[in-house]
Structures are given as structure tokens and as C-alpha cells.
């Protein structure tokens, strides 16, 4: 069992226990047996039972219980809380504390999350209060300062130490309809950010003021991470339990709704839209839900008809960004990855080796995906070229890697990991926290050459988890998560590795708030760093919706 890390885990994100039980081949397995099979004791292959009723490999089984005081996953949709997911060329079996196998790998392209939109009919559930940034105030206290002018708590900027970043604003969570509510939808725009909470979408300027507020008839339940010209298609609740069945195009520049349509009914199993996953690229939005999938145009919401797999197969999900990828798997044990053209046709198809499927898409361009077999064991990470050929298989060795991924019961959200980043020729992964020969716990970021699959360099952080965020030109931007006693940092790592260079040293006054998010999205843009919650637990008055830092 790995030692307890000295880096303070955010609530609900303690890494699962790990057992390494043997090596998996990084190339296609020999014909003498199924992947991972003992040649001395051959067993018949166990292809995926891919029906709308059957939990898919890597997503079934009990959820790990949340930490004390934190709520568990809500029913119906995917649980989007971040978990440290172990990946390796070794067979990494993740055992849930409640018994049973948990999960194996995940990934993200642009690296952020979902959202929603407005209408004119009356809300069918209580409207949320408009969340407002907390103003600065006076007073001199110790510990974690939340800055409430009327509540008696001081402005954390009053406690800034030399070299610490400024707290631009921090927004308390609004009142919501119930506890433990997923609040997908966060985008960083030029000079402001946009956050969705239930049926409200609010834009916050970098000085903390509100730019606009938009109301929808019901709560946002899914949305893409990427936008197109400042516009994004979001899904919000329709009629019926777990029915994420309404779509709207939101102009994030103006705070207006452009169109509003029902979700396509094609291929819908039983007419429901639970566990909706969405991805956007250019004028395309790919959607996958429990028992169905569709591709629509951003401009008008009309459904397109790309080539569909056979009746024995079903779409697992999409990933967007620069291009739109989709993954599907079949009851025969076969699986494929496809890139769609801007008009919605199929550009290329990559056939995954037998017995494996795409578990998550870390990046759409360049295409980098993780594989998993029917026993929820990692099949490694592949880079796919622009023409759909295998570019490389990353040489992960026996190292365990831990990007933070949202668990997804039905596998409909393919790009749901933080802690990964990609440039045109390099892919970046964080390792698990390890003990460094008596020097304390450390974590690393490993850079892999996408053409050869070989590791290029490693950057190390002592006492805290180091997570890739995004690229800034040729430099990698990473987040050093807070430890039990120290606040986090945003750092830059050059194209040849080396010691991380600090960009923002987050203030000690907000260390507890920073490390206290149950699940959050992290974005660095133009010198500003944002932490946005993905779930409102309703666990206390100190819970935050947004934290924003600047130089």
C-alpha cells in the first residue's frame, strides 16, 4: 500500500489503493491467448457485454466511499468528482474501499468542463440565487480568510505575504435545490469567466463584478468543455427523472440564448437521456447518453447523420477541441476510434486491438487515448497520427500515473480528466506520490515523445502533487497542489524539463479553501488562476463556487 502523501488531498480525491499484479503487453497480444491471460491456464476470452443495461469495463462496480462528511455520487448521471486514477503498462487493479474493482484510466483534451442555457418559461424547480463574489473587508485574523465585508471575516489580501498572489475574488456557493448537486459548466474567456449552477449561468469579470446573468427553465446537466467563437451548446433538464433532454446554444460573449431545441431522439433507448456526455469542435457537437448518441450542428442545432456502427456496437462517447473524435465498442470484443470531418463525415477509423476498448481520450489533437480490457485492467496509452495510424505506444513501464479523472458510470464522457496536457509532439502525465528514499514524498510529471513513445524528461515536486494544466507556447503550465500546511503554486516547465519556475504562489490565507474543494476544475489564463467547483455539496457556509488569483 502506498504511504500517506504529505500533499493534502482535496475532499473526495484520496488516491485509491494500488496493487500491481503483472505486466500487460504494450503491443497486440499473441494469438495463443486473450490479453492478460495466463498461457499455462488459458481461459476463454470474455468480450464486452455491451448493452445499455450492462455496466461497461472500467465503470461498473461500487464507487469508493467519500471521505467523512462528504456526500456520495448522486443517482442518474455520471459522478464528475475528480479521483486520482492509476495508469500503467502494469496491470493496475484499483480496489474500492467497499469491495470490488473500481476503474482504470481517463483523459481530457482542452482540460475543462460542462454547462447550460436559458429560456422564457417558468422554472420547474427553485431558482438559485445569483452567486456574487465576496467583497474585500477589514479585520486581521489568522488561518483561512474568506473576505466577507458583513460577515466579520477579513479580506485574505490583508494577510498577503511577500511574493504571494492576490485574491481577485472568491464566490460563495449559491443556494441550490438539494445537497450534493453537480454543477457542470466553466469557461475562461478574455477578461472574464463563466460558471453554470443549476438553471443560472453567470459571467464574472476579473475584478469580481458580474458581466451578465442568464436563466434557463431548468438545471444544466451537461455541456462541452470547448467553445466555438465564444458559443457553446449546453444540455439542460427536460421532463422526467434524469432526462437531460433540452439543448440550447449560448453566446458567452453576450449572455444570450441563440436557439433552444429538444435533444435528438435517434437511437435513444427507452426515450431517456441520462448520463449525458457532450463534446464540441467547430460546428459539431457529439452527444452520448445511456442507450443513445447523436451529432448536431452548433449553428442551428440540426442533427447530422455520420456513418453509424453496426447494431452490435454502440457509441461510447466523444471528445472535442480542435477536432471531434468518437469511440465505440461492440459485443464481439472489437472497438474503434474515429475522427469526424468538419461536416460530420468520418475522416479516419483506427481499429483497437482485440479485447480492448478506448477508455478515455486525453487529447483529440494530437490524438492520445488510454485503453482498458474487459477486466478493467489498463491496456496502456496510445498516440494516433493525423491519418488514423498508430503513432506510438507510450513506454510507461511499471510507473503508476495519476491524473485526476471524473468517474463515469456509463462511459459517455470520454474527456473528463485533469492533470494531463499535450503539445504537437509531447504528452505529459503526473505520477503518483511516492516516498523518495527518506527525503519525504514527491511526485513528478513525465514528458513522453509522441513519435517514439519514450520518456523525454521528468520534473519533480517535493511534498505535493504536481499536475499538468495546459501549454503556454512551448512551456508546460502545471499546478502544485497544496500540502497539509502550505498553499499551492502555479509553475512553468520549459520544453527540456528542468526545475519548475514559479508563476503564482497562492496565498497562505486561502490554503484551507484551496484544498477544501470536493471536486474542482483548474484553469490558468494570462497570468490568472481559477478554481471552480464541479459540485455543490451543501456541507457548510464556507463552501466556495469560485476562487480567482492574479499577480
Amino acid at each position: 500500500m502506498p504511504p500517506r502523501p504529505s500533499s493534502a488531498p482535496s475532499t473526495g480525491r484520496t488516491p485509491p489503493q494500488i496493487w500491481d499484479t503483472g505486466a500487460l503487453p504494450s503491443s497486440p497480444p499473441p494469438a495463443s491467448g486473450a490479453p492478460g491471460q495466463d498461457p499455462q491456464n488459458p481461459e476463454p476470452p470474455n468480450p464486452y457485454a455491451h448493452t445499455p443495461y450492462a455496466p461497461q469495463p472500467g465503470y461498473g462496480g461500487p464507487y469508493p466511499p467519500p471521505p467523512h462528511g462528504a456526500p456520495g455520487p448522486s443517482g442518474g448521471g455520471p459522478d464528475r468528482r475528480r479521483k486520482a486514477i492509476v495508469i500503467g503498462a502494469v496491470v493496475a487493479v484499483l480496489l474500492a474501499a467497499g469491495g470490488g474493482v473500481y476503474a482504470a484510466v481517463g483523459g481530457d483534451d482542452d482540460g475543462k468542463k460542462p454547462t447550460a442555457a436559458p429560456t422564457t418559461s417558468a422554472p420547474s424547480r427553485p431558482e438559485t440565487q445569483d452567486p456574487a463574489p465576496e467583497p474585500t473587508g477589514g479585520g486581521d485574523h489568522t488561518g483561512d480568510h474568506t473576505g466577507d465585508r458583513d460577515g466579520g471575516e477579513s479580506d485574505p489580501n490583508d494577510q498577503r505575504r511577500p511574493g504571494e498572489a492576490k485574491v481577485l475574488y472568491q464566490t460563495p456557493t449559491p443556494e441550490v435545490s438539494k445537497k450534493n448537486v453537480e454543477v457542470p459548466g466553466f469557461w475562461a474567456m478574455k477578461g472574464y469567466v463563466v460558471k453554470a449552477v443549476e438553471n443560472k449561468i453567470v459571467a464574472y469579470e476579473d475584478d469580481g463584478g458580474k458581466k451578465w446573468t442568464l436563466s434557463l427553465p431548468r438545471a444544466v446537466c451537461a455541456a462541452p468543455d470547448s467553445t466555438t467563437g465564444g458559443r457553446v451548446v449546453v444540455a439542460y433538464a427536460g421532463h422526467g427523472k434524469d432526462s437531460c433532454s433540452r439543448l440550447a446554444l449560448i453566446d458567452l460573449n453576450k449572455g444570450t440564448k441563440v436557439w433552444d431545441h429538444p435533444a435528438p431522439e435517434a437511437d435513444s433507448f427507452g426515450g431517456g437521456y441520462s448520463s449525458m456526455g457532450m463534446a464540441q469542435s467547430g460546428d459539431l457537437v457529439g452527444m452520448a447518453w445511456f442507450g443513445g448518441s447523436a451529432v448536431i450542428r452548433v449553428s442551428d442545432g440540426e442533427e447530422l447523420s455520420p456513418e453509424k456502427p453496426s447494431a452490435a456496437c454502440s457509441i461510447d462517447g466523444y471528445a472535442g477541441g480542435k477536432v471531434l473524435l468518437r469511440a465505440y465498442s461492440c459485443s464481439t470484443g472489437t472497438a474503434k476510434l474515429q475522427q469526424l470531418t468538419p461536416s460530420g463525415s468520418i475522416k479516419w477509423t483506427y481499429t483497437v486491438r482485440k479485447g480492448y476498448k478506448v477508455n478515455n481520450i486525453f487529447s483529440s489533437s494530437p490524438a492520445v487515448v488510454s485503453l482498458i480490457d474487459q477486466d478493467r485492467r489498463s491496456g496502456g496509452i496510445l498516440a494516433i497520427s493525423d491519418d488514423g495510424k498508430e503513432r506510438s505506444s507510450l513506454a510507461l513501464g511499471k510507473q503508476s500515473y495519476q491524473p485526476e479523472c471524473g468517474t463515469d458510470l456509463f462511459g459517455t464522457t470520454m474527456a473528463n480528466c485533469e492533470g494531463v496536457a499535450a503539445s504537437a509532439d509531447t504528452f505529459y502525465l503526473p505520477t503518483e506520490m511516492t516516498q523518495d528514499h527518506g527525503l519525504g514524498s514527491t511526485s513528478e510529471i513525465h514528458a513522453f515523445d509522441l513519435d517514439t513513445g519514450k520518456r523525454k524528461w521528468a520534473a519533480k515536486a517535493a511534498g505535493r502533487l504536481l499536475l499538468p494544466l495546459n501549454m503556454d507556447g512551448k512551456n508546460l503550465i502545471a499546478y502544485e497542489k497544496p500540502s497539509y500546511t502550505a498553499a499551492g503554486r502555479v509553475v512553468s516547465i520549459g520544453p527540456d524539463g528542468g526545475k519548475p519556475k514559479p508563476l503564482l504562489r497562492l496565498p497562505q490565507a486561502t490554503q484551507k479553501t484551496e484544498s477544501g474543494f470536493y471536486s474542482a476544475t483548474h484553469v490558468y489564463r494570462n497570468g490568472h488562476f481559477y478554481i471552480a467547483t464541479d459540485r455543490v455539496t451543501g456541507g457548510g457556509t464556507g463552501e466556495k463556487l469560485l476562487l480567482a488569483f492574479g499577480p
Side-chain angles (χ1 to χ4, degrees), residues 89-335:
V90 296
V91 181
V93 180
L94 310 188
L95 198 62
V101 178
Y102 177 41
V105 184
D108 190 310
D109 179 49
D110 295 74
K112 275 5 353 116
K113 216 108 246 150
T115 288
T119 311
T120 56
S121 58
S124 57
R125 65 178 64 185
E127 288 192 358
T128 59
Q129 294 181 352
D130 289 351
E134 292 183 349
T136 58
D140 184 6
H141 304 279
T142 58
D144 186 14
H145 304 279
T146 57
D148 186 334
R149 180 185 301 159
D150 300 319
E153 292 182 287
S154 71
D155 176 6
N157 291 316
D158 293 342
Q159 305 299 314
R160 285 175 66 192
R161 302 174 182 178
E164 289 186 339
K166 180 181 179 181
V167 179
L168 300 178
Y169 59 87
Q170 48 185 345
T171 307
T173 56
E175 291 185 9
V176 291
S177 59
K178 59 183 178 181
K179 290 186 177 181
N180 194 29
V181 175
E182 290 179 10
V183 287
F186 181 70
W187 302 272
M189 311 296 287
K190 186 176 182 180
Y192 63 99
V193 297
V194 181
K195 183 75 184 93
V197 177
E198 289 201 319
N199 70 318
K200 293 287 184 69
I201 306 175
V202 182
Y204 298 93
E205 296 177 336
D206 283 344
D207 62 3
K210 289 183 185 177
K211 183 178 177 68
W212 52 258
T213 298
L214 184 65
S215 295
L216 295 171
R218 302 187 73 187
V220 173
C221 44
D225 302 331
S226 305
T227 65
T228 303
R231 293 184 171 190
V232 65
V233 177
V234 300
Y236 67 93
H239 299 290
K241 188 178 185 297
D242 300 326
S243 184
C244 193
S245 59
R246 296 291 304 187
L247 304 176
L249 176 62
I250 307 303
D251 188 324
L252 298 178
N253 298 309
K254 301 176 181 179
T256 58
K257 182 175 63 175
V258 180
W259 54 253
D260 191 315
H261 299 311
E265 295 185 4
D267 296 336
S268 179
F269 181 81
Y273 296 87
S274 62
S275 193
M276 175 75 78
M278 302 178 73
Q280 183 169 319
S281 175
D283 199 28
L284 300 178
V285 172
M287 303 181 297
W289 59 90
F290 179 63
S293 65
V295 177
I296 66 168
R297 282 196 299 256
V298 172
S299 55
D300 56 13
E302 292 299 313
E303 185 180 4
L304 303 175
S305 300
E307 176 187 342
K308 296 182 179 180
S310 68
C313 310
S314 60
I315 304 296
D316 292 323
Y318 294 84
K322 293 181 180 178
V323 302
L324 188 67
L325 299 183
R326 76 174 184 182
Y328 71 86
S329 52
C330 310
S331 60
T332 58
T334 60

Side-chain angles (χ1 to χ4, degrees), residues 12 75 77 91 97 131 224 239 255 338 353 393 396 436 465 487 491:
V91 181
H239 299 290
Q338 296 179 318
R353 67 179 183 264
S393 176
L396 303 179
D436 191 9
L465 193 62
V491 298

Side-chain angles (χ1 to χ4, degrees), residues 397-445:
K398 292 188 176 182
Q399 175 70 55
S400 292
Y401 296 91
Q402 290 187 312
E404 294 190 338
C405 306
T407 57
D408 186 0
L409 183 61
F410 297 109
T412 54
T413 305
M414 301 301 294
N416 65 346
C417 284
E418 281 201 332
V420 293
S423 65
D425 58 6
T426 308
F427 183 64
Y428 305 89
L429 271 175
T431 69
E432 65 172 325
M433 295 287 291
T434 58
Q435 289 294 323
D436 191 9
H437 304 294
L439 300 179
S441 59
T442 62
S443 72
E444 298 180 351
I445 290 176

Side-chain angles (χ1 to χ4, degrees), residues 189-191 206 472 504 524-530 549-551:
M189 311 296 287
K190 186 176 182 180
D206 283 344
D472 182 13
L504 284 178
Y524 179 80
R525 171 188 48 76
N526 297 333
H528 293 165
F529 182 58
Y530 307 91
F549 304 93

